[in-house]
Amino acid sequence: MCGLVGYIGSNQAAPILLEGLRHLEYRGYDSAGLAIHDGSDLKVIRAAGKISALAQLVSTANPDGTFGIGHTRWATHGRPTENNAHPHLVNGLAVVHNGIIENYAELKARLVAQGRTFSSETDTEVIAHLIDVELRSTPDLFEAVRRALSRLEGTYAITIISRAHPDYFVAAKNFSPLIIGLGNGENFVASDIPALLPFTRQIITLKEFEIARIFSDHVELFDLRTGQPISTPAQTVTLSIQSAEKAGHKHFMHKEIFETPKIFTDTFLGRIKRELPGIVFEELDLPADEIRRLLVIACGTSYHAGLIGRHYFEEIAGLPTQVEYASEFRYRQSVLLPGDLAIFISQSGETADTLSALKEVRARGIRTLAICNVMDSSIARAADQVIYTRAGLEIGVASTKAFIAQVEVLLLLALYLATQPYPGGGDSYCRQKGQDKRTDNCKKGERNLLTPTELSHFIEQIYRLPAILERQLAEEEETVKQLANRFVHAHDFIFMGRGINYPVALEGALKLKEISYIHAEGYPAGEMKHGPIALIDEQVPVMALATRGSQLKKIISNLMEAKARGGIIVGLISRGDTETRALLDHAIEVEDVDEYFQPFVNTVPLQLFAYFVADLKGTDVDQPRNLAKSVTVE
C-alpha cells in the first residue's frame, strides 16, 4: 500500500527521494510528499495526485538539504487530499507511516482533550503528536519514538525526522515492511527494495518490533520493546528493479495472491474489538433499525463476492438479501422498498454499470453503501456511505486479493448488522436456542442474532485466518502447480459447489477462463443433473468443492454422479478427510475451518490453479486478452 523512503548523506535529498518514490509507484498511491531538513529547519512539500505533481512543486520550491523522508499514500483514513498527505508535521517533527493504527480514535480523543489540534483526518498524525508529547519529558528523539510506539495498536512501518536532530532519523517496524539501505557515507530507508536499487545493493531487512537510528555513516539497531541493541548482517541484493517490484514473483498476479494474508489483516484492523467483543465501522452511520432488506449490486468477481455476502447477511444478520448484476439491474424496473439498503461492490470504484445503477437507486430515495478498494473513486463519492477494503493496488487484471478483501468486509458487515438494534414484529427474526425462527414477539432494540460468545468465536477465527492462509500458500503451491500441469491442455472445465461454496465455484471458473482461455463454468452441484451433467465425459474434468460441512454428503453424491459419466474428479477437501479423498482422482487439501470461512481458504488454491495453468500455457497472465482492469464503459 503506502510507500516510504528516507535519505541521509552528502547529496541533495529531494532528487533521491523522488526517484525512490517513483520506483514505488507500482504499490499504488493517491498523494505524495517530502520533508527536507536544511540543517536548521524542516521544509514539507505535499501534493494530492501523482508524483509528477509533487516533482513540479519541488522544482519550484527547490528545497536545500541532504537529509529527508518521502511518502506515497494509499488512503485508508481520510480522503486523498494535500492535508491528509504525508509527511505530517507537528512542532518541527515530521512522520511518514505505512500501516493502520487500530486505536487511533481513542488516542486522538485523549490528545484533543489535552488541547492538541489536528490538521488532518489520518491515523498517522496521532503518531506525530504522541512523539511530540514524549519529547516534552525527554530530549532524546529515539527514546521519545520508542515510548510513543508502545502506545499504538495495529501495524506500522514508520520513519521520523526532527528539526532538533539534524544528524539522524529513526525508523521502526511492526508487520508493515521496512528495509534499510547501506551506502558509502550515506544511508537509506524504504518500504520496498525497488526504491533502494538505484543507490545501493546492501540492505538490512528490519524484523518485527525492531527500531533503527540511522546516521549518514552508520546504523544502530535495537529491540523496540526492550531498547536493547541488536546486530543484523547486511545482505546483497542481486534483483533487477523490474523483478524487485514483483518481489521475486514471476507475475504480479502471483505476488498479489501471496499478499492475501497481509491484506486480510489490514482489512479487519481497527474494525474488531476483541475485548468487548464487537465490530466497529467508524466510517458508517447506518440506521440499522430501519433496514429491512439488502440489495447487493455488482459485476464480475465483485458479484461473486456479493453472492457469498448473501449467505452472511441472511444467516448471520437475518436480513433478506437480493444479489443483482449491475448490468441487468439498471435496465429493469426493479421494485425498491422503504427500508432497503443497496450495497454496491467494485474494486476500482469506477465500474460503469455499477456506477449507473447506484445513481439510479439514489435518485429513487434508497440508501446506498459502496464497498470499494480505491478511495475517492466515482462510486465511493456517489454513495451515501462507503467502506474501503484496504487491498492496496492490484495490478493483475484478474482480481485475487481484492476479492478476498471484499468477502471479508461483507462478513464483518454482517456481524456488525447482527449486533445492531433491530425493530420487532413482522418479518424480524430472533435467535432462540441456536435456531432462527420467525416471530412477532421480538422487542424493539433486541435483535439477539448473536450472543457475545458466538461473536467472540467469529472474531477469534478472523484473527486466526491470516496465519492459516500463509501456511496454505506455503504448503499447497507445489501440489497445485503439479495439478495445473496435469490439466494444462484441457479445453473445458466444470466447477461445482453447494451453499456458500457455489459462488466460490463461480469465481474459480471465472479465474480459469479469464487468464488461461479455457472454457470453464461454475454450477450449483445440485443442478448438475438438470442439464450440465450431459457435458461430462473423459475429456471434461470437474473441480468439486468438497470441504467438510453441512452439505458434504450432498456434494459427494453429485461428484459420484459425474464420476459415473467418466469425468475426472478433482476435489478441494478438508485436511485429513481420507474418506472423501478416496473417491477422487486428484485432491487439494485445505485447512478445516468453519463453513463461513471456507470461501477464504477455498478461493486461494483455485486462484493458484488458474495462475499456474495460464503460466504453463504461456498466456499473458497479468494482462489477459480482451480484458481491462476497470470496466469504465458499458
Side-chain angles (χ1 to χ4, degrees), residues 89-350:
L89 184 66
V90 174
N91 294 331
L93 184 82
V95 174
V96 295
H97 164 231
N98 176 19
I100 297 169
I101 305 306
E102 290 189 73
N103 62 333
Y104 91 98
E106 302 98 287
L107 293 171
K108 183 174 182 177
R110 290 178 204 155
L111 289 163
V112 168
Q114 295 170 16
R116 292 265 165 175
T117 301
F118 286 75
S119 60
S120 79
E121 306 165 274
T122 70
D123 54 342
T124 301
E125 192 179 356
V126 167
I127 304 172
H129 280 281
L130 286 176
I131 297 170
D132 186 54
V133 168
E134 294 298 339
L135 283 169
R136 308 295 179 185
S137 58
T138 174
D140 184 355
L141 175 65
F142 172 80
E143 184 58 28
V145 171
R146 207 168 69 80
R147 291 180 189 176
L149 295 185
S150 70
R151 299 173 63 184
L152 302 183
E153 298 173 11
T155 66
Y156 53 79
I158 184 172
T159 303
I160 307 102
I161 63 174
S162 168
R163 178 175 56 204
H165 298 79
D167 55 342
Y168 75 93
F169 64 96
V170 177
K173 166 188 163 60
N174 172 31
F175 194 75
S176 298
L178 196 58
I179 300 160
I180 296 171
L182 306 177
N184 184 15
E186 58 185 3
N187 287 308
F188 311 80
V189 69
S191 51
D192 211 347
I193 291 174
L196 302 178
L197 292 183
F199 313 109
T200 181
R201 298 287 172 143
Q202 295 296 113
I203 68 163
I204 296 173
T205 302
L206 290 185
K207 301 181 183 65
E208 305 309 320
F209 295 107
E210 289 187 353
I211 185 169
R213 193 156 44 191
I214 302 172
F215 299 82
S216 60
D217 57 354
H218 72 285
V219 171
E220 300 170 354
L221 302 177
F222 302 86
D223 184 296
L224 180 59
R225 292 161 293 191
T226 66
Q228 293 299 307
I230 57 177
S231 177
T232 303
Q235 297 175 304
T236 301
V237 177
T238 58
L239 295 172
S240 68
I241 290 177
Q242 185 177 17
S243 62
E245 288 176 350
K246 296 177 182 176
H249 299 265
K250 187 175 181 180
H251 298 94
F252 280 108
M253 181 181 177
H254 190 264
K255 175 177 179 283
E256 287 155 7
I257 292 171
F258 275 77
E259 288 175 344
T260 297
K262 180 184 183 302
I263 296 309
F264 192 92
T265 302
D266 286 345
T267 296
F268 74 67
L269 282 177
R271 292 168 170 165
I272 293 178
K273 301 297 181 185
R274 296 176 86 173
E275 66 278 3
L276 294 178
I279 305 296
V280 177
F281 283 103
E282 293 175 347
E283 62 267 51
L284 291 188
D285 182 22
L286 287 177
D289 59 335
E290 298 177 17
I291 297 172
R292 299 294 200 282
R293 181 180 70 156
L294 300 178
L295 301 175
V296 180
I297 301 168
C299 298
T301 286
S302 297
Y303 172 79
H304 298 158
L307 291 175
I308 296 171
R310 179 169 63 190
H311 286 268
Y312 295 149
F313 292 135
E314 293 189 342
E315 296 177 21
I316 296 173
L319 284 166
T321 303
Q322 184 175 325
V323 186
E324 299 274 359
Y325 280 115
S327 56
E328 291 293 319
F329 177 86
R330 60 180 293 204
Y331 294 112
R332 195 175 75 245
Q333 292 299 312
S334 302
V335 177
L336 302 179
L337 302 169
D340 283 350
L341 172 66
I343 301 174
F344 297 84
I345 310 174
S346 169
Q347 186 281 138
S348 66
E350 304 294 342

Side-chain angles (χ1 to χ4, degrees), residues 75 119 141 266 307 351 353 384 404 429 437 517 522 604:
S119 60
L141 175 65
D266 286 345
L307 291 175
T351 309
D353 286 317
D384 295 317
I404 295 291
Y429 287 81
K437 297 181 179 179
Y517 318 143
V604 169

Side-chain angles (χ1 to χ4, degrees), residues 341-618:
L341 172 66
I343 301 174
F344 297 84
I345 310 174
S346 169
Q347 186 281 138
S348 66
E350 304 294 342
T351 309
D353 286 317
T354 307
L355 179 59
S356 295
L358 190 159
K359 290 178 178 177
E360 180 182 333
V361 168
R362 276 203 74 179
R364 294 172 65 180
I366 300 300
R367 291 188 182 91
T368 59
L369 170 66
I371 296 176
C372 294
N373 191 39
V374 180
M375 185 165 282
D376 212 32
S377 54
S378 298
I379 289 172
R381 292 195 306 270
D384 295 317
Q385 299 187 59
V386 60
I387 301 174
Y388 291 108
T389 54
R390 303 173 180 170
L393 180 68
E394 190 174 63
I395 294 176
V397 166
S399 183
T400 52
K401 62 178 182 175
F403 172 74
I404 295 291
Q406 288 172 347
V407 175
E408 180 183 2
V409 164
L410 293 169
L411 172 59
L412 292 172
L413 183 59
L415 294 170
Y416 172 82
L417 292 171
T419 54
Q420 300 304 301
Y422 190 65
D427 291 330
S428 62
Y429 287 81
C430 284
R431 173 159 292 179
Q432 299 175 359
K433 297 181 180 179
Q435 294 185 345
D436 293 332
K437 297 181 179 179
R438 184 179 294 271
T439 175
D440 293 326
N441 300 317
C442 295
K443 297 178 182 177
K444 184 174 177 61
E446 290 185 1
R447 193 164 196 169
N448 298 328
L449 285 171
L450 285 179
T451 67
T453 300
E454 289 169 326
L455 181 58
S456 290
H457 179 65
F458 272 106
I459 288 173
E460 290 311 310
Q461 288 182 93
I462 290 169
Y463 269 87
R464 285 180 55 233
L465 206 64
I468 289 172
L469 293 171
E470 192 97 45
R471 187 166 60 249
Q472 261 193 222
L473 284 164
E475 294 176 355
E476 290 174 358
E477 183 176 24
E478 189 56 37
T479 299
V480 175
K481 186 175 183 178
Q482 291 176 12
L483 197 63
N485 190 58
R486 168 69 177 77
F487 293 105
V488 70
H489 298 298
H491 295 287
D492 302 277
F493 226 107
I494 288 178
F495 290 69
M496 64 180 188
R498 277 182 174 266
I500 203 167
N501 279 313
Y502 162 52
V504 179
L506 290 174
E507 178 61 13
L510 177 62
K511 284 293 152 287
L512 188 62
K513 57 187 161 191
E514 277 183 314
I515 61 173
S516 74
Y517 318 143
I518 292 174
H519 173 244
E521 298 296 338
Y523 292 103
E527 291 297 303
M528 289 296 293
K529 63 175 71 69
H530 294 282
I533 200 168
L535 298 171
I536 294 177
D537 59 22
E538 294 83 353
Q539 304 303 314
V540 181
V542 176
M543 178 75 76
L545 278 72
T547 41
R548 287 193 183 102
S550 59
Q551 302 202 49
L552 177 57
K553 289 183 179 179
K554 296 288 187 183
I555 195 83
I556 287 175
S557 173
N558 301 136
L559 67 86
M560 293 308 294
E561 291 167 353
K563 191 169 185 177
R565 271 78 180 171
I568 302 169
I569 311 299
V570 185
L572 214 61
I573 64 172
S574 299
R575 196 177 305 282
D577 186 357
T578 55
E579 291 182 16
T580 304
R581 175 66 184 89
L583 305 174
L584 306 173
D585 296 297
H586 306 276
I588 303 170
E589 290 194 0
V590 298
E591 194 78 16
D592 192 357
V593 296
D594 182 277
E595 282 185 73
Y596 290 123
F597 292 86
Q598 287 182 2
F600 303 108
V601 299
N602 290 349
T603 295
V604 169
L606 296 185
Q607 291 173 346
L608 279 176
F609 179 73
Y611 168 78
F612 282 120
V613 170
D615 185 37
L616 290 165
K617 285 173 67 74

